[in-house]
Amino acid sequence: MRAHEAGALHGDIGSRGPAWLRTPDDVNALMPALWPRTVTRGADGALAVAGLSVRDLAAEFGTPMYVLDEDDLRSRCRDFRAAFPTEDVFYAGKAFLCRAVVRMIAEEGLHLDVCTGGELATALSAGMPPERIGFHGNNKSVAELARALDAGVGRIIVDSFTEIDRLTALARERGVRPRVLVRVTVGVEAHTHEFIATAHEDQKFGFSLAGGAAAAAAFKILDEGVLELRGLHSHIGSQIFDANGFEVSARRVLALQAQIRDARGVELPELDLGGGFGIAYTTQDDPATPQDLAKRLRKIVDSECAAERLAVPRLSIEPGRAIVGPSVFTLYEVGTVKDLDGIRTYVSVDGGMSDNIRTALYDASYSATLASRASTTEPMLARVVGKHCESGDIVVKDEFLPADVQPGDLVAVPGTGAYCRSMASNYNHVPRPPVVAVRDGHARVIVRRETEEDLLALDVG
């Protein structure tokens, strides 16, 4: 039975933290599933990544910072590429995107999903081949669609009848025939937090399958003959550990493929089942490997195609979190430690909800460890909180840290590669942290730290 994020968050809470959280035998031990693959604890007790001590990284680059293990990210790209050798793997850029990451995923043979003009600009400026880019979004502007066409973007996932009309007009003006997929809302609500479940009917994405809009969109594109309809697209949510949702989604989407074949005599050659594959944030999580995912998804698609007497389409998937999430940890410095008379110990760090909004936004769970040294003291149940003027400014709700944690210590929070820097803000006018990539004993800044001058440069009053 695989755990999922919503199940843990809504489970029974004990008097000393959630029921699943156990007092560690060794408070210095690292759970490998939570960390980039090159992270170790050195003989001096400090964490090291790619051969570099976090104490040296903090001294050179300051805290807080996101630390990206480049070899780890590349190896996860290769794992997906090896597991899906005849399919297309699109890295979901919304998880985290910068030019260095674009180059990494391009060099590892992956495709790239973008969903705004800014993400498209980042991809193109980094040299991503446009034919390997997919363009998502529920409200693409005329300017964004025109830029995608002029750049030669490989596929556009259409999301509304208005967008079909916009794109058709632009394609006619340019004399081009862009490849498109229709995003289908299949009515499957994945087992995640309500705010990150994206395939049930009452939401903004895609064309309703149950209401007939998805079929109407496909017929419109085929009948007008301006856009090249390549296939259908479905995305059922995020942080998913159970393949059952993909089975239901594939069955419903392929039934629509069969309906299109029967009505228009066309078998669409592609099928995109989206992403949302879960990762381990805490000891409760048990994610599937890419090989396991590939085996399950192929079995599902092959079975449903046989049932509908369809040729098996070329499959696409869209991992984002599953690639970049575990490849990054955030490094903080402790500022204060506050013991509330045995009720709870608050460990305040020099970042918070401006660099990781997910705990406040989704009630997400994270882990943490004392990173700058080892400790021989007993474990202490703590809450890691930020510096913002907000009671909900929580980074890690419950975690065992050494009882002697003190100001000046470094604390590391793993699993922060996805939806942390990409959703970061300047709340309380706090500049956003840098992203530092490490590899083979070398470190480089790939996204620099914001400064107060950056903040004031936008203030023209």
Side-chain angles (χ1 to χ4, degrees):
M1 182 81 178
R2 291 190 176 274
H4 59 74
E5 188 172 8
L9 294 177
H10 298 286
D12 295 332
I13 302 298
S15 61
R16 297 293 290 167
W20 54 265
L21 184 63
R22 300 288 184 265
T23 304
D25 295 328
D26 179 2
V27 75
N28 303 300
L30 301 176
M31 180 180 176
L34 303 181
W35 296 91
R37 294 167 184 173
T38 71
V39 168
T40 60
R41 193 177 288 278
D44 62 354
L47 294 192
V49 55
L52 298 172
S53 169
V54 296
R55 294 193 298 209
D56 293 337
L57 291 173
E60 181 174 359
F61 300 106
T63 58
M65 74 170 123
Y66 305 102
V67 182
L68 185 151
D69 184 338
E70 183 173 343
D71 278 341
D72 185 272
L73 186 146
R74 287 179 178 274
S75 70
R76 294 179 193 278
C77 290
R78 291 193 289 271
D79 288 347
F80 271 98
R81 186 65 270 156
F84 293 89
T86 60
E87 296 84 7
D88 292 323
V89 179
F90 283 78
Y91 172 73
K94 65 178 182 174
F96 171 64
L97 199 67
C98 67
R99 286 185 289 190
V101 167
V102 171
R103 295 186 187 105
M104 292 177 202
I105 65 111
E107 289 167 1
E108 297 300 335
L110 269 59
H111 295 57
L112 174 63
D113 267 337
V114 300
C115 57
T116 66
E119 289 182 356
L120 177 59
T122 302
L124 295 174
S125 70
M128 186 73 186
E131 65 274 12
R132 286 162 57 187
I133 297 175
F135 194 7
H136 273 281
N138 68 296
N139 186 23
K140 306 179 193 72
S141 69
V142 172
E144 287 174 329
L145 291 170
R147 184 174 193 177
L149 291 181
D150 293 341
V153 163
R155 66 176 190 174
I156 298 173
I157 296 83
V158 294
D159 202 272
S160 68
F161 289 106
T162 299
E163 184 182 332
I164 292 174
D165 291 338
R166 286 174 181 166
L167 189 58
T168 298
L170 290 167
R172 281 193 174 118
E173 290 174 4
R174 286 160 172 73
V176 296
R177 193 161 187 252
R179 294 183 168 190
V180 301
L181 275 67
V182 169
R183 178 157 180 172
V184 181
T185 307
V186 296
V188 177
E189 184 169 2
H191 294 297
T192 72
H193 191 285
E194 177 186 357
F195 292 168
I196 51 175
T198 58
H200 51 88
E201 291 289 342
D202 186 12
Q203 49 101 2
K204 70 177 186 177
F205 294 106
F207 295 90
S208 169
L209 182 64
F219 294 152
K220 177 180 175 67
I221 293 169
L222 290 171
D223 293 344
E224 291 181 348
V226 177
L227 312 178
E228 181 182 353
L229 181 59
R230 296 293 298 174
L232 303 177
H233 178 284
S234 170
H235 178 69
I236 62 172
S238 299
Q239 190 61 358
I240 301 168
F241 293 91
D242 191 339
N244 291 339
F246 291 107
E247 183 173 0
V248 176
S249 174
R251 180 180 305 122
R252 294 178 182 177
V253 172
L254 289 168
L256 176 57
Q257 293 254 41
Q259 181 184 349
I260 294 168
R261 174 201 60 198
D262 295 342
R264 294 295 190 274
V266 175
E267 284 205 18
L268 301 179
E270 297 182 22
L271 172 65
D272 192 321
L273 289 180
F277 312 125
I279 67 168
Y281 286 109
T282 68
T283 56
Q284 60 169 335
D285 296 323
D286 183 21
T289 66
Q291 291 76 13
D292 189 27
L293 286 170
K295 181 179 178 180
R296 293 182 183 191
L297 294 182
R298 284 197 201 97
K299 181 178 179 181
I300 289 167
V301 172
D302 289 349
S303 175
E304 297 304 326
C305 284
E308 295 287 355
R309 299 188 303 280
L310 285 166
V312 177
R314 185 177 181 88
L315 183 64
S316 297
I317 59 166
E318 300 171 357
R321 181 199 316 260
I323 290 174
V324 75
S327 299
V328 176
F329 63 88
T330 307
L331 190 65
Y332 300 101
E333 182 177 325
V334 175
T336 66
V337 179
K338 186 182 295 185
D339 182 7
L340 298 186
D341 298 324
I343 298 173
R344 190 188 303 277
T345 298
Y346 282 82
V347 177
S348 297
V349 296
D350 54 352
M353 63 192 300
S354 61
D355 58 72
N356 186 350
I357 191 63
R358 294 187 70 256
T359 307
L361 185 62
Y362 299 140
D363 203 23
S365 294
Y366 281 90
S367 303
T369 194
L370 178 62
S372 50
R373 60 183 176 88
S375 174
T376 58
T377 62
E378 292 298 310
M380 165 190 70
L381 188 65
R383 174 164 289 178
V384 181
V385 297
K387 63 182 294 179
H388 299 282
C389 189
E390 195 77 38
S391 60
D393 178 24
I394 300 170
V395 179
V396 183
K397 291 180 297 184
D398 295 286
E399 180 59 287
F400 284 100
L401 293 174
D404 64 348
V405 65
Q406 58 191 317
D409 282 334
L410 299 177
V411 169
V413 176
T416 57
Y419 307 107
C420 289
R421 180 57 175 81
S422 64
M423 297 176 74
S425 74
N426 295 123
Y427 183 50
N428 287 155
H429 278 54
V430 173
R432 288 176 291 183
V435 182
V436 177
V438 295
R439 189 181 194 188
D440 296 333
H442 299 282
R444 63 188 174 109
V445 175
I446 58 175
V447 179
R448 72 166 174 83
R449 184 183 301 278
E450 283 185 329
T451 65
E452 291 177 355
E453 288 73 21
D454 292 325
L455 301 181
L456 294 173
L458 299 177
D459 189 339
V460 298

